[in-house]
Amino acid sequence: AVRQKLKAPVEKVFSNIKDLGNTSSSTIPLCLETLLREKREGRRRIGMTAFGGGFTFGGGVIDQL
Protein backbone atom coordinates (compact mmCIF):
# COMPACT_ATOMS: atom_id res chain seq x y z
CA ALA A 1 0.00 0.00 0.00
CA VAL A 2 2.85 2.41 0.82
CA ARG A 3 4.60 1.61 -2.46
CA GLN A 4 1.41 2.27 -4.40
CA LYS A 5 0.72 5.52 -2.56
CA LEU A 6 4.26 6.74 -3.33
CA LYS A 7 3.97 5.46 -6.92
CA ALA A 8 7.32 3.71 -6.50
CA PRO A 9 8.29 0.99 -8.99
CA VAL A 10 8.05 -2.61 -7.76
CA GLU A 11 11.80 -3.19 -8.23
CA LYS A 12 12.62 -0.35 -5.79
CA VAL A 13 10.61 -1.78 -2.86
CA PHE A 14 11.56 -5.00 -1.09
CA SER A 15 8.95 -7.09 0.69
CA ASN A 16 9.23 -10.60 2.08
CA ILE A 17 5.67 -11.05 3.33
CA LYS A 18 4.78 -13.44 0.49
CA ASP A 19 7.68 -15.71 1.52
CA LEU A 20 7.62 -15.44 5.33
CA GLY A 21 4.18 -14.11 6.23
CA ASN A 22 3.66 -11.56 8.99
CA THR A 23 6.83 -11.69 11.08
CA SER A 24 5.79 -8.86 13.44
CA SER A 25 8.76 -7.23 15.17
CA SER A 26 11.25 -9.31 13.15
CA THR A 27 10.22 -7.86 9.78
CA ILE A 28 12.93 -5.18 9.46
CA PRO A 29 15.84 -7.39 10.65
CA LEU A 30 14.79 -10.22 8.32
CA CYS A 31 14.47 -7.90 5.30
CA LEU A 32 17.75 -6.19 6.15
CA GLU A 33 19.60 -9.50 6.39
CA THR A 34 18.29 -10.52 2.96
CA LEU A 35 19.18 -7.18 1.36
CA LEU A 36 22.68 -7.07 2.84
CA ARG A 37 23.39 -10.58 1.54
CA GLU A 38 22.82 -9.36 -2.04
CA LYS A 39 26.05 -8.57 -3.85
CA ARG A 40 25.87 -5.06 -5.32
CA GLU A 41 28.62 -2.76 -6.43
CA GLY A 42 28.92 0.79 -5.15
CA ARG A 43 27.01 2.69 -2.55
CA ARG A 44 23.35 2.13 -1.82
CA ARG A 45 20.78 3.60 0.50
CA ILE A 46 18.23 1.38 2.25
CA GLY A 47 15.09 2.94 3.71
CA MET A 48 13.12 0.85 6.19
CA THR A 49 9.59 1.29 7.53
CA ALA A 50 7.27 -0.88 9.58
CA PHE A 51 3.69 -0.39 10.71
CA GLY A 52 1.93 -2.34 13.41
CA GLY A 53 -1.25 -2.60 15.37
CA GLY A 54 -2.05 0.08 17.90
CA PHE A 55 -0.59 2.81 15.69
CA THR A 56 2.98 1.63 16.22
CA PHE A 57 5.54 2.39 13.55
CA GLY A 58 9.26 2.63 12.99
CA GLY A 59 11.66 3.61 10.28
CA GLY A 60 15.21 4.45 9.40
CA VAL A 61 17.72 4.85 6.59
CA ILE A 62 21.04 3.06 6.20
CA ASP A 63 23.75 4.28 3.82
CA GLN A 64 25.85 1.30 2.80
CA LEU A 65 29.29 2.21 1.48
Side-chain angles (χ1 to χ4, degrees), residues 15-54:
S15 175
N16 65 358
I17 197 163
K18 69 181 183 301
D19 300 321
L20 300 177
N22 182 359
T23 54
S24 190
S25 64
S26 299
T27 300
I28 288 178
L30 288 169
C31 286
L32 187 58
E33 189 272 335
T34 302
L35 288 171
L36 293 177
R37 228 183 318 136
E38 290 180 356
K39 302 295 183 210
R40 288 194 181 183
E41 293 296 320
R43 183 177 180 161
R44 82 177 153 167
R45 181 172 288 155
I46 300 171
M48 304 168 291
T49 60
F51 303 90

